[in-house]
Amino acid sequence: MDTADGLRIDLPHRELLDQVLDKWSLSVLNELCERPCRFNELRRAVPRVTQKSLTATLRRLERNGVVEREVLATRPVGVRYRITPLGKTLREPVDVLLAWASEHLPAVTRARETFDAREDGEAR
């Protein structure tokens, strides 16, 4: 990943980051950092996620080793998800990214407005 000239992001890195930092994964991981949750608890905690998207998100996170699935011996059979020790290591870098976003959001907003105004002017 590192080169003499700096950081290089290869396909495996991009794929992993896409899978653990996608639209729903951050919200799911945020919930699971607080406590293990059953599927429907996660649906309620992330209300805009569809059942299909939540299922796909949980499968990706489980495949990448950051979430584990536990089958509960209940009637009907239940499933609970929890963050793994590997998943917990994501907390610090994600918090750093969120802090960066919070700090720089006003500058990014100004840049977007400037860009959009320029684009609108060129379109006329």
Side-chain angles (χ1 to χ4, degrees), residues 41-97:
E41 290 176 296
L42 286 170
R43 287 258 343 248
R44 286 189 294 275
V46 186
R48 293 186 359 232
V49 68
T50 64
Q51 181 172 340
K52 182 178 178 180
S53 292
L54 181 57
T55 299
T57 297
L58 288 165
R59 284 183 175 271
R60 274 193 313 275
L61 293 173
E62 185 180 6
R63 181 172 182 259
N64 285 299
V66 296
V67 165
E68 64 185 11
R69 181 179 185 267
E70 175 189 11
V71 177
L72 305 172
T74 59
R75 289 189 185 251
V77 173
V79 176
R80 180 172 43 215
Y81 296 90
R82 70 169 40 102
I83 196 157
T84 64
L86 177 62
K88 288 180 183 179
T89 66
L90 282 168
R91 189 68 190 221
E92 184 180 348
V94 168
D95 285 347
V96 168
L97 285 171

